[in-house]
Amino acid sequence: MLPTRFKPKQLTRHKLLMCAIVEALCEMCCEPTPPDYDDAQELPPQKVAAQALDVLALSLNSQHVVPACWQFVQAAASSPDMHRRAAAMMVCAVSAEGCSEALRKRLPQVLPLLLTALQDPEGDVRGVAAFALGQFSEYLQPEILEHYTEVMPGVFRLLGDPNHDVQERACYALDAFCENLEPSEILPYMPQLVEQLLLVLQNGKPGVQEMALSAVSSIASAAQQAFQPHTAVMLPVLHHFMQHPGKEYLDCRCRAIESAGIIVGALGAEDPVISPHINGMMEVALQGFSLTDSPDLRDHSHAMFAHIAKALGEKFAGWLPRVVPLAFQSCNQEDGQVADVDDSDDIDDDDDIVSDDDDSEDHGGGRHFNVRTGVMDEKMSATAALGSYAKACPHAFMPYVEQTLSTLAGMSNYWHDEARAAAYDSLQKLTLAIHRVFTPSTSTSVAIAAAGPVVLSEQCRVLVEAAMPSLTSPVEDDVSKVAVTAAAAALGHLLKELGQGAVGPIHLEAAANMAKALLENKAMCQEAEDDDEEGDAGDDEELAAEDEELLAAAADLLPALALSMGQDAYAPVFRSLHVEPLIARLKPQQPIALRAIAAGAVAEVAEKLGARMAPVVPTLLPLLLRELQSSDDINRQNAAYCSGLLVQASPEQATPFMPQLLTALHNMFRPEEAAGAQDNAVGAVGRIMTAVPQALPLGQVLPVLLGAMPLKEDLNETTPAVNAVCTLLMADRLTELQQHVPQIIQVFGQVAAQVTCPMEARSMVARTLMQLQAKYPEHMRPLLSQLPSEQQTALQQLVANGH
């Protein structure tokens, strides 16, 4: 498999050979384990073939792998030979990561085969099918979640399977699947889920119990408050595993500590069931530092401490003298051996090439760092925990500031990108903690910004001077997109929270240049990728996700800069540094997801700069008109939002584009339009009605607008729509609108009763209706009396409360 890993393009030039290789490996997956097989000496043939397929899927474009694999799976899944049925599921499993995009498109065809295999009479087939489902749950997001009503019952059956291996893989599938479910989706299954997992935790083997505990973590994280009814039965079980002394239960102990922290974080420290357990949780985890030398245990303990600190807030202060020194110890410990491995050296062990546990990283020059993964995770968790402690109880954390700053400086230069990312995030949390301590308690970042430039305390200024270079320099010297994304996100959050004038011009210039470099794809981490001429095709999707996160962090910097610099100061900076890169990102040759982010970025800036956007409106609107016709919901949603804001910012500059814009927006009122996209089209039309009412044929537009209300997903867009209609009603145009008044009142009643709707919009409809009733009592009273009682009550309450 060396040619596949290191020369994939050369291999794929021979298409017939590639097809034959894939077919042969699929057939090899069907071979039974030889009777004389010695697992201490070698891998069985079917495992060797599965590993090879995994490498192919990760290293080559899916078009070279999926067609032959799918042809095999279709035939083998219904074979009378159990080895072929198991092989079909294994081929699905090992291709899920590398060929995720292609498998997403085939999911409606593949998933029924997998769900059928979950009920296979042979335990081996059920186990491999459960493993495949776990792989699908990890790598085919979010499409796999749409099938939760089909998947969950199949997994439930396997949790009670007599085969322990099947149980373990079912727990893995459950863990991976539930992690990304919404609370409303998981709620109907909660009683059965908890009941089945408790049975596994009471009767299973350690390996199965570990996976069950991991599933508890995912379920609690997904369910949030919905997990509360089950804490009374689950916490004693977790406490049992948290202090289990057996070496074979160490992994269970780690998972139980992880689960306990997530449950506390989800439900809060004030929960009457959780509160009595917190001290016990803390003591058990602290004992582990002195009784057990395990990086994994320390890793999960630091994470649990951080969850509890967030839940307790200032009440966590009493634990700081015990947990902060432990975090310093973890961050300052040695990593282990570092070895040079030249790429030209002979590689004798293929397992090292495809091992899932390999966490080495290439920093150029052929150097690979081989370190204990557990220590890296421990350092990352400890680094993140320091930031959590500072944020939770800033006053009590003051004695640790100097050493924390030194520790974070060291971790920001650590070899692993996730640890550097944690350091950048903790650095902004530490800075903001100092800011809170030495800023009057009545002040908030919003209030300070509204009152004028912020004057930092001397203590905070010192932290800002240390933090800003650490957060802006990664754009020039960090090769990891993950780390640079974290630095940009931390910088943006810091600028927003500190407020206008808090950061000096030199640092703001560096932040603006950082955003420019990221938008232009000229950061070191972006150029380092461009220098990689022959990367693994299977990594494309992961790289695309990193690109999206990096661009999103850069986009968030722009409104943060507008807030920190002030609108008048940032407007010329935006026009000179940032608008051209955003225009380039909106060009059709750019990936569709990046265009969506760029449109969202322009919208965020337009919201801050308002009329100062006028010079760039004629250039931006044609690009947004194209995005309004995009095949992607998010692109249409962001383009609609941005278009409305640009018209609002500069009606005169937008007028020439109005016919095309209204046509494009009208298409988004179709019944099949995605809810979020349609909601933003409603908001855009509302802003246009307010900015250029003469441009709209009200008789045609108003019924369509009202027919899309109340909004379903992006309820914030209710405000501009309601504002436009209220403005018309109060502008003595009632005669013109008379035929629409019954529909308007019906919609306004629904908005008033929609408690998740912004209060500004609800108050607006209540005030307008009351004013109209006072002005036209004979016309309005009968219409209002026809509203459902709950809507009438909502309107009355809004008026009574002065809204």
Side-chain angles (χ1 to χ4, degrees):
M1 286 295 104
L2 286 177
T4 303
R5 285 295 295 264
F6 301 114
K7 298 293 180 182
K9 291 183 180 178
Q10 292 185 16
L11 188 61
T12 54
R13 292 192 185 108
H14 307 282
K15 295 183 179 180
L16 292 177
L17 175 61
M18 273 306 311
C19 184
I21 290 173
V22 174
E23 290 173 350
L25 290 172
C26 288
E27 289 296 329
M28 193 172 167
C29 286
C30 302
E31 294 190 20
T33 302
D36 58 347
Y37 163 65
D38 180 3
D39 62 358
Q41 299 296 322
E42 58 184 351
L43 289 173
Q46 73 272 23
K47 288 191 177 181
V48 172
Q51 286 192 355
L53 274 174
D54 187 25
V55 174
L56 286 173
L58 289 168
S59 304
L60 307 179
N61 191 290
S62 61
Q63 66 181 350
H64 302 293
V65 180
V66 169
C69 284
W70 176 232
Q71 186 175 357
F72 168 80
V73 167
Q74 285 180 292
S78 58
S79 171
D81 183 350
M82 62 88 64
H83 296 294
R84 297 189 71 80
R85 297 198 303 274
M89 295 300 101
M90 182 55 71
V91 169
C92 288
V94 298
S95 57
E97 181 179 4
C99 301
S100 56
E101 188 64 34
L103 284 176
R104 283 195 188 98
K105 297 175 182 177
R106 295 180 186 263
L107 191 58
Q109 292 78 44
V110 181
L111 190 59
L113 301 179
L114 193 154
L115 294 175
T116 299
L118 292 178
Q119 304 178 62
D120 196 279
E122 296 292 338
D124 287 349
V125 180
R126 296 195 302 274
V128 181
F131 174 62
L133 179 59
Q135 293 285 286
F136 278 27
S137 300
E138 284 197 59
Y139 300 114
L140 305 190
Q141 295 281 350
E143 288 79 1
I144 186 70
L145 298 179
E146 297 172 6
H147 303 273
Y148 70 93
T149 56
E150 306 158 64
V151 170
M152 296 295 278
V155 178
F156 283 150
R157 284 191 293 269
L158 296 190
L159 289 175
D161 199 285
N163 186 317
H164 287 292
D165 290 338
V166 175
Q167 276 190 2
E168 182 174 351
R169 290 179 173 183
C171 288
Y172 159 64
L174 189 65
D175 178 18
F177 190 80
C178 291
E179 187 174 10
N180 295 292
L181 285 178
E182 294 294 327
S184 60
E185 294 169 337
I186 201 171
L187 183 59
Y189 304 100
M190 286 295 295
Q192 191 176 355
L193 270 174
V194 174
E195 180 183 353
Q196 291 286 341
L197 288 171
L198 283 171
L199 287 174
V200 173
L201 291 171
Q202 291 164 2
N203 304 311
K205 293 183 177 180
V208 182
Q209 291 171 326
E210 181 205 348
M211 293 308 303
L213 287 164
S214 184
V216 170
S217 297
S218 294
I219 292 165
S221 180
Q224 293 293 306
Q225 289 293 326
F227 195 83
Q228 202 281 334
H230 309 285
T231 52
V233 294
M234 188 59 71
L235 288 180
V237 177
L238 295 181
H239 196 269
H240 163 75
F241 282 104
M242 286 174 69
Q243 56 186 347
H244 201 298
K247 290 184 179 180
E248 70 275 21
Y249 282 92
L250 181 59
D251 290 337
C252 291
R253 194 172 166 188
C254 293
R255 292 298 181 187
I257 288 173
E258 175 187 59
S259 297
I262 288 173
I263 291 172
V264 174
L267 300 181
E270 301 303 320
D271 183 89
V273 177
I274 288 177
S275 182
H277 289 269
I278 288 180
N279 285 349
M281 292 177 184
M282 291 292 298
E283 291 294 348
V284 167
L286 286 166
Q287 289 171 11
F289 281 81
S290 57
L291 299 178
T292 308
D293 183 14
S294 166
D296 291 337
L297 189 62
R298 294 191 292 269
D299 164 28
H300 289 93
S301 295
H302 286 307
M304 188 193 81
F305 297 157
H307 277 298
I308 293 177
K310 180 180 179 181
L312 285 175
E314 291 284 1
K315 295 179 182 178
F316 190 77
W319 295 102
L320 291 181
R322 299 177 68 181
V323 299
V324 174
L326 295 176
F328 291 150
Q329 289 176 19
S330 292
C331 290
N332 295 328
Q333 68 178 309
E334 294 294 327
D335 280 312
Q337 278 201 313
V338 177
D340 281 325
V341 180
D342 187 80
D343 287 344
S344 63
D345 290 349
D346 293 333
I347 302 176
D348 297 324
D349 189 353
D350 282 349
D351 288 349
D352 290 342
I353 299 174
V354 299
S355 170
D356 291 335
D357 296 329
D358 180 65
D359 199 34
S360 63
E361 207 175 86
D362 189 349
H363 283 251
R367 175 176 284 273
H368 294 258
F369 289 85
N370 301 323
V371 295
R372 301 196 309 272
T373 305
V375 172
M376 186 282 293
D377 287 337
E378 177 189 347
K379 288 192 168 193
M380 181 178 64
S381 292
T383 302
L386 288 170
S388 297
Y389 302 153
K391 182 177 180 179
C393 34
H395 290 85
F397 197 78
M398 288 303 100
Y400 309 102
V401 168
E402 186 175 348
Q403 190 172 355
T404 299
L405 186 60
S406 174
T407 300
L408 294 180
M411 292 306 299
S412 66
N413 291 304
Y414 190 64
W415 68 271
H416 199 280
D417 55 2
E418 292 182 19
R420 297 198 300 277
Y424 299 143
D425 184 58
S426 288
L427 188 56
Q428 63 89 5
K429 288 177 179 174
L430 179 67
T431 306
L432 292 175
I434 297 289
H435 184 49
R436 282 193 290 274
V437 169
F438 294 99
T439 299
S441 59
T442 55
S443 299
T444 65
S445 59
V446 175
I448 292 171
V454 175
V455 178
L456 294 180
S457 65
E458 178 62 22
Q459 296 89 341
C460 187
R461 189 188 63 77
V462 171
L463 261 293
V464 168
E465 290 298 317
M468 289 298 294
S470 295
L471 296 178
T472 55
S473 63
V475 74
E476 298 176 349
D477 57 27
D478 199 316
V479 297
S480 165
K481 290 182 179 179
V482 171
V484 177
T485 297
L491 177 60
H493 187 71
L494 187 63
L495 292 177
K496 287 178 183 177
E497 290 299 311
L498 289 177
Q500 182 179 346
V503 177
I506 294 177
H507 296 312
L508 288 175
E509 181 181 359
N513 287 331
M514 179 183 193
K516 179 177 185 289
L518 292 172
L519 294 173
E520 291 180 336
N521 219 42
K522 292 182 179 179
M524 175 176 277
C525 61
Q526 295 164 319
E527 292 180 336
E529 179 189 310
D530 293 339
D531 292 340
D532 183 9
E533 296 180 357
E534 191 168 353
D536 290 352
D539 290 339
D540 287 349
E541 187 170 345
E542 181 179 348
L543 293 173
E546 290 182 357
D547 286 339
E548 292 169 27
E549 292 172 4
L550 183 58
L551 185 61
D556 287 343
L557 266 178
L558 306 186
L561 283 164
L563 177 63
S564 186
M565 298 175 75
Q567 297 169 328
D568 291 330
Y570 178 63
V573 173
F574 175 71
R575 292 194 294 268
S576 63
L577 295 184
H578 298 149
V579 72
E580 286 300 326
L582 284 172
I583 289 170
R585 291 288 191 176
L586 284 166
K587 294 294 177 65
Q589 59 268 33
Q590 285 286 307
I592 193 167
L594 300 188
R595 299 202 307 270
I597 294 169
V602 174
E604 295 291 336
V605 174
E607 196 171 24
K608 291 286 186 294
L609 297 187
R612 299 167 188 82
M613 292 289 290
V616 297
V617 167
T619 305
L620 289 168
L621 272 179
L623 298 171
L624 294 168
L625 284 169
R626 184 170 49 236
E627 292 308 310
L628 287 171
Q629 303 171 55
S630 170
S631 60
D632 189 272
D633 301 345
I634 301 300
N635 288 60
R636 296 195 302 277
Q637 177 173 326
N638 288 358
Y641 177 54
C642 189
S643 298
L645 286 169
L646 290 181
V647 174
Q648 188 179 48
S650 181
E652 183 178 348
Q653 297 286 354
T655 297
F657 304 95
M658 205 59 64
Q660 293 171 275
L661 179 57
L662 292 176
T663 299
L665 289 171
H666 182 266
N667 291 333
M668 295 177 67
F669 285 84
R670 297 168 299 176
E672 64 270 22
E673 180 60 271
Q678 188 171 97
D679 290 349
N680 278 267
V682 169
V685 171
R687 291 183 175 94
I688 294 170
M689 286 176 63
T690 303
V692 280
Q694 69 281 2
L696 298 177
L698 288 180
Q700 300 174 35
V701 171
L702 202 54
V704 176
L705 180 74
L706 295 170
M709 297 176 72
L711 304 190
K712 303 172 185 66
E713 187 173 296
D714 193 349
L715 302 188
N716 288 330
E717 291 302 285
T718 305
T719 304
V722 162
N723 178 60
V725 178
C726 290
T727 301
L728 290 173
L729 289 171
M730 301 310 296
D732 293 328
R733 299 181 65 176
L734 195 60
T735 303
E736 184 181 351
L737 302 175
Q738 187 171 1
Q739 62 177 321
H740 305 295
V741 169
Q743 187 182 9
I744 291 172
I745 292 176
Q746 184 182 42
V747 169
F748 276 16
Q750 293 172 323
V751 169
Q754 195 174 19
V755 294
T756 52
C757 190
M759 182 56 72
E760 181 183 359
R762 298 174 66 211
S763 303
M764 207 182 302
V765 301
R767 287 196 305 270
T768 300
L769 289 178
M770 292 307 102
Q771 290 173 18
L772 288 174
Q773 185 180 26
K775 195 171 184 180
Y776 308 101
E778 293 182 1
H779 293 90
M780 294 298 297
R781 191 175 294 114
L783 293 173
L784 290 171
S785 66
Q786 293 174 15
L787 292 176
S789 58
E790 66 272 12
Q791 295 179 12
Q792 293 186 42
T793 301
L795 286 167
Q796 291 165 4
Q797 289 176 344
L798 288 167
V799 172
N801 293 332
H803 292 298

